[in-house]
Amino acid sequence: MQAPEIDPRVAALVLDSQAADLFRIAKGFQRQGRRSEFTAKVADDEALTAAYLFRPRAQVLELGGLPEAFRAQVKPFNILGMIRDKGPDGAAPGRVVLDLLAGLPRPFATLRSPVELRAALYPGSVLTFTNHLLRCRGMAKDLSDFGYEEFQAELRRREEFTRALRGPGAPAGPGWPLG
């Protein structure tokens, strides 16, 4: 899938947010003693299952049907975004979309900051994955259709809606862009 043409400020916001979320996820697994292989499911409902897969090179390369361009980008440690659509609003029901979001030369547990993870992201793949995920989660427009101010307003609207659904005092759910 081709990465969408996105306002550079929207793209920077998405990339910075994803780096912060992925860093938080990696550090959470590190506290559990896991360093290089784990899965963080971020959505699982009647419409889709979505997860971040943190995998070493050997496990990624074992996956069948990967294009050579994908395989060439695989590093010793990788983050993949996986979406399995279950309904008619996304891709064909049951179709799995897999994007290589980041590649690192060392285990995720060695990351010191979201900025360090941001440098390891593959921007086109992250933007494509995030766009697909947001569309599956009900965003009416592609990321490429938003100007910066309009996108920030949409995020605030979604955040307020999610907060209202959780109710007062409820624990926070998944980070942006999923909440």
Side-chain angles (χ1 to χ4, degrees), residues 12-60:
L13 180 61
V14 169
L15 293 168
D16 291 344
S17 297
Q18 285 288 36
D21 286 348
L22 293 168
F23 179 78
R24 180 183 47 78
I25 291 167
K27 288 303 176 183
F29 279 102
Q30 179 186 0
R31 285 190 291 279
Q32 297 173 15
R34 302 184 63 195
R35 296 179 49 84
S36 63
E37 177 193 344
F38 40 89
T39 299
K41 196 176 279 190
V42 293
D44 192 14
D45 58 32
E46 65 282 346
L48 68 106
T49 298
Y52 295 113
L53 312 173
F54 292 73
R55 297 288 187 268
R57 177 192 326 233
Q59 287 186 6
V60 174

Short mmCIF file of all heavy atoms in Angstrom, two decimals, residues 12-60:
data_model
loop_
_atom_site.label_atom_id
_atom_site.label_comp_id
_atom_site.label_asym_id
_atom_site.label_seq_id
_atom_site.Cartn_x
_atom_site.Cartn_y
_atom_site.Cartn_z
N ALA A 12 4.03 14.64 11.12
CA ALA A 12 4.92 14.74 12.27
C ALA A 12 4.18 14.40 13.57
O ALA A 12 4.72 13.71 14.44
CB ALA A 12 5.53 16.14 12.36
N LEU A 13 2.94 14.88 13.69
CA LEU A 13 2.14 14.58 14.88
C LEU A 13 1.88 13.08 14.99
O LEU A 13 2.03 12.49 16.06
CB LEU A 13 0.81 15.35 14.82
CG LEU A 13 -0.15 15.15 15.99
CD1 LEU A 13 0.48 15.60 17.29
CD2 LEU A 13 -1.44 15.92 15.73
N VAL A 14 1.53 12.44 13.90
CA VAL A 14 1.27 11.00 13.89
C VAL A 14 2.54 10.23 14.25
O VAL A 14 2.53 9.34 15.11
CB VAL A 14 0.72 10.53 12.52
CG1 VAL A 14 0.70 9.01 12.42
CG2 VAL A 14 -0.67 11.10 12.28
N LEU A 15 3.66 10.58 13.62
CA LEU A 15 4.92 9.87 13.87
C LEU A 15 5.40 10.05 15.31
O LEU A 15 5.82 9.09 15.96
CB LEU A 15 5.99 10.33 12.88
CG LEU A 15 5.72 9.94 11.42
CD1 LEU A 15 6.67 10.68 10.49
CD2 LEU A 15 5.83 8.44 11.24
N ASP A 16 5.31 11.27 15.82
CA ASP A 16 5.72 11.51 17.21
C ASP A 16 4.82 10.76 18.19
O ASP A 16 5.30 10.18 19.17
CB ASP A 16 5.69 13.01 17.54
CG ASP A 16 6.78 13.79 16.82
OD1 ASP A 16 7.74 13.18 16.31
OD2 ASP A 16 6.65 15.04 16.76
N SER A 17 3.52 10.75 17.91
CA SER A 17 2.58 10.04 18.79
C SER A 17 2.80 8.54 18.75
O SER A 17 2.80 7.87 19.79
CB SER A 17 1.14 10.36 18.38
OG SER A 17 0.87 11.72 18.55
N GLN A 18 3.02 8.01 17.57
CA GLN A 18 3.27 6.57 17.45
C GLN A 18 4.57 6.19 18.15
O GLN A 18 4.65 5.17 18.83
CB GLN A 18 3.30 6.13 15.99
CG GLN A 18 1.93 6.07 15.36
CD GLN A 18 1.10 4.89 15.86
OE1 GLN A 18 1.14 4.50 17.02
NE2 GLN A 18 0.32 4.33 14.97
N ALA A 19 5.61 7.01 17.99
CA ALA A 19 6.89 6.73 18.66
C ALA A 19 6.71 6.71 20.17
O ALA A 19 7.22 5.81 20.85
CB ALA A 19 7.95 7.76 18.25
N ALA A 20 5.96 7.67 20.70
CA ALA A 20 5.73 7.72 22.15
C ALA A 20 4.94 6.49 22.61
O ALA A 20 5.28 5.88 23.64
CB ALA A 20 4.99 9.00 22.52
N ASP A 21 3.90 6.12 21.87
CA ASP A 21 3.10 4.95 22.25
C ASP A 21 3.93 3.66 22.17
O ASP A 21 3.87 2.83 23.08
CB ASP A 21 1.87 4.82 21.36
CG ASP A 21 0.79 5.83 21.68
OD1 ASP A 21 0.88 6.50 22.74
OD2 ASP A 21 -0.15 5.95 20.87
N LEU A 22 4.68 3.48 21.09
CA LEU A 22 5.49 2.27 20.94
C LEU A 22 6.59 2.19 22.00
O LEU A 22 6.88 1.11 22.52
CB LEU A 22 6.08 2.21 19.52
CG LEU A 22 5.05 2.01 18.41
CD1 LEU A 22 5.68 2.25 17.05
CD2 LEU A 22 4.41 0.65 18.49
N PHE A 23 7.17 3.33 22.35
CA PHE A 23 8.17 3.36 23.41
C PHE A 23 7.55 2.95 24.74
O PHE A 23 8.11 2.14 25.47
CB PHE A 23 8.79 4.77 23.51
CG PHE A 23 9.82 4.89 24.60
CD1 PHE A 23 11.10 4.41 24.42
CD2 PHE A 23 9.49 5.50 25.80
CE1 PHE A 23 12.05 4.51 25.41
CE2 PHE A 23 10.44 5.61 26.81
CZ PHE A 23 11.73 5.13 26.62
N ARG A 24 6.37 3.49 25.04
CA ARG A 24 5.67 3.16 26.28
C ARG A 24 5.36 1.66 26.33
O ARG A 24 5.53 1.01 27.36
CB ARG A 24 4.38 3.99 26.39
CG ARG A 24 3.56 3.72 27.63
CD ARG A 24 2.25 4.51 27.64
NE ARG A 24 1.50 4.45 26.39
CZ ARG A 24 0.75 3.42 26.00
NH1 ARG A 24 0.65 2.35 26.74
NH2 ARG A 24 0.09 3.46 24.86
N ILE A 25 4.92 1.10 25.22
CA ILE A 25 4.61 -0.33 25.15
C ILE A 25 5.88 -1.15 25.39
O ILE A 25 5.88 -2.09 26.19
CB ILE A 25 3.98 -0.68 23.78
CG1 ILE A 25 2.58 -0.08 23.68
CG2 ILE A 25 3.94 -2.19 23.58
CD1 ILE A 25 1.99 -0.09 22.27
N ALA A 26 6.97 -0.79 24.71
CA ALA A 26 8.23 -1.54 24.86
C ALA A 26 8.73 -1.48 26.30
O ALA A 26 9.17 -2.50 26.86
CB ALA A 26 9.29 -1.00 23.90
N LYS A 27 8.64 -0.33 26.93
CA LYS A 27 9.10 -0.19 28.32
C LYS A 27 8.21 -0.99 29.27
O LYS A 27 8.69 -1.55 30.25
CB LYS A 27 9.18 1.28 28.74
CG LYS A 27 10.34 2.01 28.09
CD LYS A 27 11.64 1.30 28.41
CE LYS A 27 12.82 1.92 27.73
NZ LYS A 27 14.07 1.19 27.99
N GLY A 28 6.92 -1.06 28.98
CA GLY A 28 6.02 -1.86 29.81
C GLY A 28 6.39 -3.33 29.75
O GLY A 28 6.41 -4.02 30.79
N PHE A 29 6.70 -3.83 28.58
CA PHE A 29 7.13 -5.23 28.47
C PHE A 29 8.51 -5.44 29.09
O PHE A 29 8.77 -6.49 29.68
CB PHE A 29 7.11 -5.69 27.01
CG PHE A 29 5.73 -6.07 26.55
CD1 PHE A 29 4.98 -5.21 25.77
CD2 PHE A 29 5.18 -7.29 26.90
CE1 PHE A 29 3.70 -5.56 25.36
CE2 PHE A 29 3.91 -7.66 26.49
CZ PHE A 29 3.16 -6.79 25.71
N GLN A 30 9.37 -4.43 29.00
CA GLN A 30 10.69 -4.53 29.63
C GLN A 30 10.54 -4.71 31.14
O GLN A 30 11.23 -5.52 31.75
CB GLN A 30 11.52 -3.29 29.33
CG GLN A 30 12.90 -3.32 29.97
CD GLN A 30 13.65 -2.02 29.77
OE1 GLN A 30 13.15 -1.08 29.16
NE2 GLN A 30 14.85 -1.96 30.30
N ARG A 31 9.60 -3.99 31.76
CA ARG A 31 9.36 -4.12 33.20
C ARG A 31 8.89 -5.54 33.56
O ARG A 31 9.05 -5.98 34.69
CB ARG A 31 8.35 -3.09 33.68
CG ARG A 31 8.95 -1.68 33.77
CD ARG A 31 8.02 -0.70 34.47
NE ARG A 31 6.83 -0.38 33.71
CZ ARG A 31 6.77 0.50 32.71
NH1 ARG A 31 7.84 1.15 32.34
NH2 ARG A 31 5.63 0.74 32.09
N GLN A 32 8.33 -6.25 32.58
CA GLN A 32 7.91 -7.63 32.79
C GLN A 32 9.04 -8.62 32.49
O GLN A 32 8.83 -9.83 32.53
CB GLN A 32 6.72 -7.96 31.89
CG GLN A 32 5.49 -7.14 32.17
CD GLN A 32 4.40 -7.40 31.14
OE1 GLN A 32 4.44 -8.36 30.38
NE2 GLN A 32 3.41 -6.53 31.11
N GLY A 33 10.22 -8.10 32.15
CA GLY A 33 11.36 -8.95 31.87
C GLY A 33 11.47 -9.41 30.42
O GLY A 33 12.29 -10.27 30.10
N ARG A 34 10.67 -8.86 29.54
CA ARG A 34 10.69 -9.26 28.12
C ARG A 34 11.48 -8.21 27.35
O ARG A 34 11.28 -7.04 27.51
CB ARG A 34 9.27 -9.40 27.63
CG ARG A 34 8.58 -10.46 28.53
CD ARG A 34 7.22 -10.83 28.19
NE ARG A 34 7.12 -11.44 26.88
CZ ARG A 34 5.96 -11.57 26.28
NH1 ARG A 34 4.85 -11.16 26.85
NH2 ARG A 34 5.90 -12.13 25.09
N ARG A 35 12.37 -8.69 26.47
CA ARG A 35 13.28 -7.78 25.80
C ARG A 35 13.11 -7.69 24.29
O ARG A 35 13.39 -6.66 23.69
CB ARG A 35 14.72 -8.18 26.10
CG ARG A 35 15.08 -8.06 27.54
CD ARG A 35 16.51 -8.48 27.83
NE ARG A 35 17.51 -7.89 26.94
CZ ARG A 35 18.06 -6.69 27.10
NH1 ARG A 35 17.70 -5.93 28.09
NH2 ARG A 35 18.97 -6.26 26.25
N SER A 36 12.71 -8.78 23.62
CA SER A 36 12.79 -8.73 22.17
C SER A 36 11.60 -9.32 21.44
O SER A 36 11.53 -9.18 20.23
CB SER A 36 14.06 -9.43 21.70
OG SER A 36 14.03 -10.79 22.05
N GLU A 37 10.70 -9.98 22.11
CA GLU A 37 9.55 -10.57 21.42
C GLU A 37 8.30 -10.43 22.28
O GLU A 37 8.22 -10.98 23.37
CB GLU A 37 9.80 -12.06 21.15
CG GLU A 37 8.63 -12.73 20.49
CD GLU A 37 8.75 -14.24 20.50
OE1 GLU A 37 9.84 -14.78 20.73
OE2 GLU A 37 7.71 -14.88 20.27
N PHE A 38 7.34 -9.65 21.77
CA PHE A 38 6.07 -9.50 22.46
C PHE A 38 5.04 -8.91 21.52
O PHE A 38 5.38 -8.39 20.46
CB PHE A 38 6.18 -8.68 23.75
CG PHE A 38 7.10 -7.48 23.66
CD1 PHE A 38 6.62 -6.26 23.24
CD2 PHE A 38 8.44 -7.60 23.99
CE1 PHE A 38 7.46 -5.16 23.17
CE2 PHE A 38 9.28 -6.51 23.91
CZ PHE A 38 8.79 -5.28 23.51
N THR A 39 3.78 -9.04 21.91
CA THR A 39 2.66 -8.54 21.11
C THR A 39 1.81 -7.63 21.99
O THR A 39 1.47 -8.00 23.11
CB THR A 39 1.80 -9.71 20.60
OG1 THR A 39 2.61 -10.54 19.79
CG2 THR A 39 0.60 -9.21 19.81
N ALA A 40 1.47 -6.47 21.48
CA ALA A 40 0.58 -5.54 22.18
C ALA A 40 -0.68 -5.39 21.34
O ALA A 40 -0.67 -4.73 20.30
CB ALA A 40 1.27 -4.20 22.37
N LYS A 41 -1.75 -6.04 21.78
CA LYS A 41 -3.02 -5.93 21.07
C LYS A 41 -3.62 -4.58 21.42
O LYS A 41 -3.73 -4.22 22.59
CB LYS A 41 -3.96 -7.06 21.49
CG LYS A 41 -5.13 -7.24 20.56
CD LYS A 41 -5.97 -8.43 20.95
CE LYS A 41 -5.33 -9.70 20.45
NZ LYS A 41 -6.21 -10.86 20.61
N VAL A 42 -4.00 -3.81 20.41
CA VAL A 42 -4.54 -2.47 20.64
C VAL A 42 -6.01 -2.34 20.29
O VAL A 42 -6.65 -1.35 20.64
CB VAL A 42 -3.70 -1.39 19.89
CG1 VAL A 42 -2.31 -1.29 20.48
CG2 VAL A 42 -3.65 -1.67 18.40
N ALA A 43 -6.53 -3.34 19.62
CA ALA A 43 -7.96 -3.35 19.30
C ALA A 43 -8.38 -4.79 19.03
O ALA A 43 -7.66 -5.53 18.37
CB ALA A 43 -8.27 -2.48 18.08
N ASP A 44 -9.52 -5.16 19.56
CA ASP A 44 -10.06 -6.48 19.29
C ASP A 44 -11.56 -6.40 19.54
O ASP A 44 -12.01 -6.44 20.68
CB ASP A 44 -9.41 -7.54 20.18
CG ASP A 44 -9.74 -8.96 19.72
OD1 ASP A 44 -10.24 -9.12 18.58
OD2 ASP A 44 -9.50 -9.89 20.50
N ASP A 45 -12.30 -6.21 18.47
CA ASP A 45 -13.74 -6.11 18.59
C ASP A 45 -14.39 -6.77 17.38
O ASP A 45 -13.72 -7.46 16.63
CB ASP A 45 -14.18 -4.65 18.77
CG ASP A 45 -13.73 -3.73 17.65
OD1 ASP A 45 -13.63 -4.19 16.49
OD2 ASP A 45 -13.49 -2.55 17.92
N GLU A 46 -15.66 -6.51 17.18
CA GLU A 46 -16.38 -7.15 16.08
C GLU A 46 -15.90 -6.70 14.70
O GLU A 46 -16.09 -7.40 13.71
CB GLU A 46 -17.89 -6.92 16.19
CG GLU A 46 -18.34 -5.48 16.03
CD GLU A 46 -18.12 -4.61 17.26
OE1 GLU A 46 -17.86 -5.12 18.35
OE2 GLU A 46 -18.20 -3.38 17.10
N ALA A 47 -15.21 -5.56 14.62
CA ALA A 47 -14.78 -5.04 13.32
C ALA A 47 -13.35 -5.44 12.96
O ALA A 47 -13.06 -5.67 11.79
CB ALA A 47 -14.90 -3.52 13.30
N LEU A 48 -12.46 -5.51 13.95
CA LEU A 48 -11.07 -5.76 13.61
C LEU A 48 -10.26 -6.20 14.82
O LEU A 48 -10.66 -5.99 15.96
CB LEU A 48 -10.41 -4.52 13.01
CG LEU A 48 -10.22 -3.32 13.94
CD1 LEU A 48 -8.76 -3.19 14.34
CD2 LEU A 48 -10.67 -2.06 13.25
N THR A 49 -9.13 -6.78 14.53
CA THR A 49 -8.09 -7.03 15.52
C THR A 49 -6.87 -6.28 15.02
O THR A 49 -6.52 -6.36 13.84
CB THR A 49 -7.76 -8.54 15.63
OG1 THR A 49 -8.92 -9.23 16.07
CG2 THR A 49 -6.62 -8.78 16.61
N ALA A 50 -6.23 -5.53 15.91
CA ALA A 50 -5.02 -4.80 15.55
C ALA A 50 -4.00 -4.99 16.67
O ALA A 50 -4.36 -5.05 17.85
CB ALA A 50 -5.32 -3.31 15.36
N ALA A 51 -2.74 -5.11 16.27
CA ALA A 51 -1.69 -5.33 17.26
C ALA A 51 -0.36 -4.80 16.73
O ALA A 51 -0.16 -4.67 15.52
CB ALA A 51 -1.56 -6.81 17.57
N TYR A 52 0.51 -4.49 17.68
CA TYR A 52 1.90 -4.19 17.37
C TYR A 52 2.68 -5.45 17.72
O TYR A 52 2.57 -5.97 18.84
CB TYR A 52 2.41 -3.01 18.20
CG TYR A 52 1.72 -1.72 17.86
CD1 TYR A 52 0.90 -1.09 18.79
CD2 TYR A 52 1.89 -1.12 16.62
CE1 TYR A 52 0.27 0.10 18.48
CE2 TYR A 52 1.26 0.08 16.30
CZ TYR A 52 0.45 0.68 17.24
OH TYR A 52 -0.18 1.85 16.94
N LEU A 53 3.46 -5.95 16.77
CA LEU A 53 4.26 -7.15 16.96
C LEU A 53 5.72 -6.74 17.04
O LEU A 53 6.26 -6.17 16.09
CB LEU A 53 4.05 -8.12 15.79
CG LEU A 53 2.61 -8.40 15.37
CD1 LEU A 53 2.59 -9.25 14.11
CD2 LEU A 53 1.84 -9.06 16.49
N PHE A 54 6.34 -6.98 18.17
CA PHE A 54 7.76 -6.69 18.37
C PHE A 54 8.48 -8.02 18.15
O PHE A 54 8.29 -8.96 18.94
CB PHE A 54 7.99 -6.16 19.78
CG PHE A 54 7.40 -4.80 20.03
CD1 PHE A 54 6.03 -4.62 20.17
CD2 PHE A 54 8.22 -3.69 20.15
CE1 PHE A 54 5.48 -3.37 20.42
CE2 PHE A 54 7.68 -2.42 20.40
CZ PHE A 54 6.32 -2.27 20.53
N ARG A 55 9.28 -8.12 17.09
CA ARG A 55 9.84 -9.40 16.69
C ARG A 55 11.30 -9.29 16.24
O ARG A 55 11.67 -8.33 15.55
CB ARG A 55 9.05 -10.00 15.52
CG ARG A 55 7.61 -10.32 15.80
CD ARG A 55 7.50 -11.53 16.73
NE ARG A 55 6.13 -11.97 16.89
CZ ARG A 55 5.32 -11.57 17.85
NH1 ARG A 55 5.72 -10.70 18.74
NH2 ARG A 55 4.09 -12.04 17.94
N PRO A 56 12.11 -10.30 16.57
CA PRO A 56 13.47 -10.36 16.03
C PRO A 56 13.43 -10.76 14.55
O PRO A 56 12.44 -11.32 14.07
CB PRO A 56 14.16 -11.42 16.88
CG PRO A 56 13.07 -12.22 17.50
CD PRO A 56 11.85 -11.35 17.55
N ARG A 57 14.51 -10.48 13.86
CA ARG A 57 14.62 -10.70 12.42
C ARG A 57 14.21 -12.11 12.00
O ARG A 57 13.44 -12.28 11.06
CB ARG A 57 16.04 -10.44 11.94
CG ARG A 57 16.22 -10.73 10.45
CD ARG A 57 17.67 -10.77 10.00
NE ARG A 57 18.49 -9.85 10.71
CZ ARG A 57 19.28 -8.94 10.15
NH1 ARG A 57 19.35 -8.85 8.85
NH2 ARG A 57 20.00 -8.13 10.87
N ALA A 58 14.73 -13.13 12.67
CA ALA A 58 14.46 -14.51 12.26
C ALA A 58 12.96 -14.80 12.22
O ALA A 58 12.48 -15.45 11.30
CB ALA A 58 15.17 -15.49 13.20
N GLN A 59 12.23 -14.31 13.21
CA GLN A 59 10.78 -14.55 13.24
C GLN A 59 10.06 -13.81 12.11
O GLN A 59 9.11 -14.33 11.54
CB GLN A 59 10.20 -14.17 14.58
CG GLN A 59 10.57 -15.14 15.67
CD GLN A 59 9.86 -14.82 16.97
OE1 GLN A 59 9.01 -13.93 17.03
NE2 GLN A 59 10.22 -15.54 18.01
N VAL A 60 10.49 -12.61 11.81
CA VAL A 60 9.86 -11.85 10.73
C VAL A 60 10.10 -12.55 9.40
O VAL A 60 9.18 -12.72 8.59
CB VAL A 60 10.36 -10.39 10.69
CG1 VAL A 60 9.79 -9.66 9.47
CG2 VAL A 60 10.00 -9.66 11.97
#
